[in-house]
Structure formats: C-alpha cells, structure tokens
Amino acid sequence: MASLNVGNLGEYLREQRRAAQLSLRQLADATGVSNPYLSQIERGLRKPSADVLQQVAKALRISAETLYVRAGILDEREREELETRAVILADPSINERQKSVLLQIYDSFRRENGFVPGPDADADADGDAGLRKGAGPREGDDAGADATEDHDPHS
C-alpha cells in the first residue's frame, strides 16, 4: 500500500489531497504554495522545506510530523515522542502541574531506556513554577523510580 511507504512523500501527498477532494490548484490556494511547485513535490522532483510541509499539512488537516517523517526531516521515534507530548499537554482532565510532572516522569523513563528527550522536553516541563528543572535524581538505574517522588507534598 502506497500510504505506508515512508520514502514516497509525493505519492502520499497526492493520496491525501485526493482524499480531501482538493485539486492541485485548490491546495495551492489554501497553502500559498505555487501550483507548479506542489506538482513537482507530488511527482518527487522537489524536496519541500519543513515550512511548506507544515502549510500543506494544515490545508489537508493531517499531521505535519507525519509529513516530516516521510520527507526524512524527522525520524519516527521523534514523531512518536512529539505526539505523546502533544496528547499529554492537550488533556483537559489534568492540570498544568500534573502535566509537567507527567512529562518529567516520561523523560526519566526515556532516559532510563537510552533515549534522549527531544529539544522541547525542558520547555514543556517548565510550565509550572512549583517544579524546578532538574529536581531530584535523574541519573542511574533508578531514575524512573525517583521521578515519582519529585512532587510537591503540599499540593
């Protein structure tokens, strides 16, 4: 199935555009990207920038991260991490302090398993003034266990 072929960005974009029932001209109008340039992307003749992919994703109402992976700008693990963070941050059932703690725990587990948190990890976790960056132990085999103890007992 072509939509599962990560290497073929143009074919995937064409499928998504057709699924959205948009002509190339309509997509060009919606994105502000020229019709000929979009045509070249779909035919695999041009590799678009992240900005162009973001505009196309917005117009097609699909994930920009998925397009970044298909274009080779972002790897699959980074996309999954970004999506996980976005879901946590968008959850209306937990407050900002809880989101921050959850992201810190998530980062500690990723470090424990050999993954380095993405560049936005510290920015996402700093949303609550009651938590300080680097609170508690973050190194060694018990980093995940200690992360749950880094909360304010007075809240």
Side-chain angles (χ1 to χ4, degrees):
M1 179 180 271
S3 64
L4 297 177
N5 183 355
V6 175
N8 199 335
L9 173 66
E11 196 171 310
Y12 178 77
L13 283 175
R14 182 178 293 122
E15 288 175 13
Q16 294 302 308
R17 178 178 57 77
R18 288 179 177 163
Q21 299 181 339
L22 291 174
S23 70
L24 203 51
R25 195 156 285 161
Q26 289 170 318
L27 183 59
D29 289 342
T31 60
V33 177
S34 77
N35 185 357
Y37 188 69
L38 288 174
S39 176
Q40 290 174 346
I41 293 169
E42 283 190 0
R43 291 182 288 140
L45 301 175
R46 297 275 184 184
K47 183 176 178 182
S49 68
D51 288 339
V52 168
L53 289 175
Q54 186 172 22
Q55 291 169 279
V56 170
K58 185 186 250 185
L60 294 174
R61 297 180 186 201
I62 59 176
S63 164
E65 288 81 9
T66 298
L67 296 183
Y68 296 160
V69 169
R70 288 181 178 272
I73 295 171
L74 186 69
D75 84 8
E76 186 68 22
R77 287 186 190 148
E78 291 172 318
R79 181 187 65 83
E80 290 168 357
E81 179 186 355
L82 288 172
E83 287 178 352
T84 300
R85 290 179 178 288
V87 167
I88 291 169
L89 292 170
D91 188 338
S93 68
I94 59 177
N95 65 39
E96 293 305 310
R97 184 188 66 79
Q98 292 166 331
K99 291 175 186 179
S100 180
V101 170
L102 188 52
L103 288 170
Q104 288 178 358
I105 293 168
Y106 175 67
D107 288 340
S108 73
F109 285 150
R110 287 183 52 83
R111 277 192 292 274
E112 183 178 314
N113 292 328
F115 294 98
V116 177
D120 295 336
D122 290 334
D124 291 341
D126 287 345
D128 185 58
L131 294 173
R132 65 189 190 283
K133 191 187 323 184
R138 291 289 181 218
E139 296 179 10
D141 294 337
D142 59 351
D146 290 336
T148 58
E149 297 172 8
D150 288 347
H151 64 279
D152 182 358
H154 301 293
S155 56

